[in-house]
Amino acid sequence: MAAPLHAFVERVEAATPPGRDRALDALRGLAILGVVLGHWLVTALVTDSGALRADSPLGHLPELTPVSWVFQTLAVFFLVGGYVAARGHSAARARGESHGRWTAARMRRLFRPVVPLLGVWTVATVVMLACGVPWQTLHTLGKLVLSPLWFLLVLAALTAATPLVARIHPLWPLAVVAHVDLVRFGFDGPDTLSWLNLPAGWLVPYCLGALIARRGPLPRAAAWVLLLGGAAATGLLVAFAGYPGSMVGVPGAPVSNLNPPTLAAVTFGLAQSGGALLLLGPLRRVLRRPAAWAAVALLNLRAMTVFLWHQTAMIAVTAGGLLTAGLLGHGPLTGLHTVPDGYAWVVARLGWLALFVCALVICGAAFHAYERTTQGPAGRPDVRTEARHA
């Protein structure tokens, strides 16, 4: 076992271009893991009158709100996405590659892995309908699986518009979000206006990443200003302006910081971006070690599969547990099917995470091929080429 692992580490190390910034891949990997763990920890599928509905421990245990601050990491992903897209587009133009061709290649990498997900869930929905599964259950499961796709649509739109948005200063979309929230909350404006914040809110970290790609690294002092200023602004907005403390949506809450993003979510994202920029140096030092870099590269090669299938993995374990409990005459399993209204649920959910990971590994083994951009002999993935494009 050690020999193949060592060989893999050596292959990844040899395949990595000398100028690649490994810390950016680490930030992207951490952002994906944050989203996955966040969803697994704050999403409960509760049995209710023969159907499943979504619930969250954050609605019952508000003291757990800081959990959402740790695992809501989307701003970091958009920060890295803006940087990589701006650099990639500039390099493509230098090679004489057209914007259309560059965009098409990016869109294929984003949406090709979505095809099997939609196919599997279309078949699963038809089967559940034929079996008489309640509509509420179908709606709950469908929303859990499909709602993360909004992220891909926004990222795809920003990526396609990279030549334009890469030259926008982050303060401009930040000003749009601030004015939209002022009209929405201060003057009781229409809720439809808030959807302007969907592109504008995520443009802020995306444009920040593009700005860094264009002008060079920010000074550490500027990163500290982002971290401390963003955190202070977020705290003031939550404490005195009525914004929710949770940085993720809570079922039943009148306002969500993410749906669409509010000013508090954006200032929180600026704080996260500042913290991420400060981490670049330490991450670069750690990732000089081939084994650490191989782990990061492996995660990045499977990032889309992990992101797309993590909710399905949780649902599969939940459904399997429900079926097994029924066959054994057992009631709903704590941490899996019960209302998340106490610390017993939290402890039990932590125990279930191992099974979620196992289910996700199975999904990854089955569907990772759709994320591969190139293949080697006999259809095997070419680690050397894939590592360069991770």
Side-chain angles (χ1 to χ4, degrees):
M1 184 67 180
L5 184 59
H6 181 69
F8 173 78
V9 169
E10 288 186 337
R11 290 172 64 194
V12 172
E13 183 70 18
T16 304
R20 187 177 187 92
D21 193 341
R22 302 179 180 193
L24 292 175
D25 294 278
L27 287 180
R28 181 165 46 195
L30 289 172
I32 289 292
L33 290 179
V35 171
V36 170
L37 289 175
H39 282 161
W40 284 352
L41 290 172
V42 304
T43 304
L45 287 172
V46 179
T47 53
D48 184 5
S49 303
L52 290 176
R53 62 176 177 84
D55 203 345
S56 172
L58 299 178
H60 301 273
L61 302 167
E63 63 270 26
L64 296 181
T65 295
V67 171
S68 70
W69 308 343
V70 176
F71 295 109
Q72 202 288 80
T73 51
L74 288 173
V76 176
F77 200 98
F78 280 103
L79 174 76
V80 175
Y83 179 90
V84 172
R87 289 283 300 269
H89 188 267
S90 295
R93 295 305 298 268
R95 296 192 302 268
E97 186 176 335
S98 69
H99 172 66
R101 183 176 180 181
W102 178 84
T103 302
R106 292 275 172 165
M107 295 305 105
R108 284 195 297 271
R109 293 191 63 191
L110 274 178
F111 290 108
R112 188 168 180 256
V114 177
V115 174
L117 180 77
L118 296 180
V120 167
W121 274 98
T122 297
V123 173
T125 301
V126 171
V127 171
M128 286 188 287
L129 281 171
C131 294
V133 173
W135 171 251
Q136 180 183 345
T137 296
L138 294 176
H139 179 267
T140 297
L141 300 184
K143 186 176 181 179
L144 282 178
V145 171
L146 299 178
S147 58
L149 297 185
W150 70 263
F151 163 80
L152 294 185
L153 295 175
V154 174
L155 183 60
L158 297 185
T159 299
T162 292
L164 173 64
V165 302
R167 298 193 173 275
I168 297 176
H169 196 280
L171 289 178
W172 288 109
L174 177 62
V176 170
V177 174
H179 281 83
V180 167
D181 275 18
L182 178 63
V183 173
R184 180 186 177 193
F185 298 123
F187 297 97
D188 199 24
D191 284 342
T192 53
L193 183 67
S194 66
W195 290 103
L196 288 174
N197 283 356
L198 185 58
W202 300 118
L203 262 174
V204 175
Y206 192 90
C207 290
L208 178 60
L211 179 69
I212 296 171
R214 192 169 72 250
R215 297 187 182 178
L218 292 183
R220 283 184 63 83
W224 276 109
V225 168
L226 284 174
L227 173 59
L228 299 178
T234 305
L236 291 172
L237 289 170
V238 171
F240 300 107
Y243 285 86
S246 173
M247 289 300 142
V248 299
V250 179
V255 177
S256 167
N257 274 321
L258 279 188
N259 191 30
T262 63
L263 182 60
V266 175
T267 57
F268 179 75
L270 287 174
Q272 283 188 318
S273 297
L277 294 173
L278 291 170
L279 275 176
L280 286 175
L283 286 173
R284 288 178 183 127
R285 289 191 290 272
V286 170
L287 293 174
R288 291 171 188 162
R289 303 170 184 170
W293 165 237
V296 169
L298 188 64
L299 175 60
N300 273 269
L301 290 173
R302 289 157 175 76
M304 281 294 298
T305 304
V306 169
F307 176 76
L308 291 172
W309 289 92
H310 74 278
Q311 295 284 54
T312 299
M314 181 186 70
I315 290 169
V317 173
T318 302
L322 191 62
L323 179 62
T324 302
L327 292 175
L328 297 177
H330 196 285
L333 301 175
T334 304
L336 209 56
H337 317 120
T338 54
V339 176
D341 56 359
Y343 288 103
W345 186 94
V346 175
V347 173
R349 173 50 63 101
L350 292 173
W352 288 110
L353 292 183
L355 284 182
F356 293 172
V357 171
C358 291
L360 183 56
V361 168
I362 293 172
C363 291
F367 300 107
H368 170 56
Y370 291 87
E371 194 173 356
R372 296 173 188 160
T373 56
T374 54
Q375 289 186 328
R380 291 190 297 270
D382 187 341
V383 175
R384 175 177 294 272
T385 308
E386 283 197 272
R388 290 196 180 102
H389 292 84

